[in-house]
Amino acid sequence: MVKPLEVFQLVIQYICLMSTFYWALKLIYQDNQLLIVLSKNASHDYLTGLLNQRMYEADFHRQLKIARQQATPLSLVAFDIDYFKEINDHHGHVAGNQVLVEVSTALKRVSQGYQSDSRLYRVGGEEFNLVLPNNDRKSAEQLALKCCETIANSVIQYKGVRISVTLSAGVSDLTQSDKQVVDLYLRADHNLYLSKQRGRNRVTVDGKTIVANKR
């Protein structure tokens, strides 16, 4: 017959065992959550939640390889927020951060509504790159124009003050002579420069610039 003391000791041992098991599971869960956070921080921009420069380079290399193998189009749109330094200087960096978040949210919504497998990246302070698999230059131009018009006609407010925001964009697409992703990027960046030089709130493709409509 089991004595009461022995029963009590068994209960205590069971409680200790279950407590140890619980804390072990909790530590495993916390470690997994930490790994998830670290993984996201390594691939996403901390402020906007968009994919970052590292992911842009990795994804674009992969998309270039796929486009080459399958003989499919591939386009890149480079965006830049116009007069962003003036926004920071006039309204403050907190307002500038709000502009970055709202612009990135709008760009992601418009681009994914247009094509679900589009990929948007924050690659600099106020710079964004949009990679468009299976899209030629013309369709990329149309999307870039829609993005610029969406931002130009949006309402961004900080402490009750409306902040006017526009984007400039440059577009490029994959050609037979392109050997690596930097070839597409340099053309998109040059077109972006032309959009800035020609008045901003514009989209440039192969040197041809289109003004985004603003209500």
Side-chain angles (χ1 to χ4, degrees):
M1 184 175 179
V2 180
K3 297 180 180 180
L5 180 60
E6 293 175 340
V7 171
F8 177 76
Q9 290 174 337
L10 288 172
V11 170
I12 294 299
Q13 290 174 0
Y14 177 78
I15 292 173
C16 291
L17 179 62
M18 294 305 295
S19 177
T20 301
F21 182 66
Y22 166 79
W23 286 107
L25 285 178
K26 187 172 182 178
L27 287 174
I28 291 172
Y29 173 78
Q30 290 174 339
D31 287 344
N32 286 338
Q33 292 300 108
L34 178 60
L35 288 174
I36 291 172
V37 170
L38 291 175
S39 177
K40 184 173 182 179
N41 288 342
S43 60
H44 289 71
D45 173 57
Y46 75 97
L47 177 64
T48 64
L50 295 181
L51 295 165
N52 61 18
Q53 173 75 28
R54 177 185 298 180
M55 291 302 296
Y56 159 72
E57 293 175 359
D59 288 347
F60 205 8
H61 278 288
R62 184 170 62 254
Q63 291 297 338
L64 178 62
K65 184 177 180 180
I66 292 172
R68 285 292 190 210
Q69 291 173 344
Q70 300 181 0
T72 53
L74 176 65
S75 295
L76 171 67
V77 183
F79 292 103
D80 188 276
I81 299 177
D82 297 327
Y83 301 112
F84 187 69
K85 183 179 184 301
E86 283 79 355
I87 292 173
N88 277 331
D89 290 346
H90 187 71
H91 299 283
H93 289 279
V94 175
N97 286 344
Q98 182 175 325
V99 168
L100 287 169
V101 170
E102 294 198 31
V103 166
S104 63
T105 300
L107 286 178
K108 188 172 183 179
R109 182 183 69 250
V110 173
S111 60
Q112 290 195 338
Y114 183 87
Q115 181 185 345
S116 60
D117 61 348
S118 64
R119 304 272 278 183
L120 181 66
Y121 310 82
R122 184 185 178 197
V123 294
E126 67 272 24
E127 301 169 12
F128 306 87
N129 283 354
L130 177 63
V131 175
L132 296 166
N134 301 306
N135 272 257
D136 59 17
R137 177 175 48 198
K138 186 62 178 178
S139 59
E141 174 191 306
Q142 292 171 347
L143 176 55
L145 194 59
K146 184 175 182 180
C147 287
C148 288
E149 290 175 347
T150 297
I151 298 303
N153 293 299
S154 63
V155 177
I156 298 179
Q157 292 192 346
Y158 177 72
K159 292 186 176 180
V161 177
R162 176 168 179 163
I163 302 175
S164 296
V165 180
T166 60
L167 297 178
S168 295
V171 178
S172 67
D173 66 340
L174 182 63
T175 67
Q176 290 295 326
S177 61
D178 292 328
K179 303 301 181 184
Q180 49 191 342
V181 297
V182 69
D183 297 325
L184 283 85
Y185 172 73
L186 289 175
R187 289 200 307 279
D189 188 58
H190 176 67
N191 284 325
L192 171 60
Y193 170 78
L194 292 177
S195 292
K196 293 280 192 181
Q197 187 183 52
R198 293 170 180 174
R200 295 174 167 80
N201 192 34
R202 286 157 167 76
V203 176
T204 301
V205 186
D206 285 344
K208 177 185 175 183
T209 301
I210 307 168
V211 180
N213 291 325
K214 186 175 181 181
R215 292 192 298 268

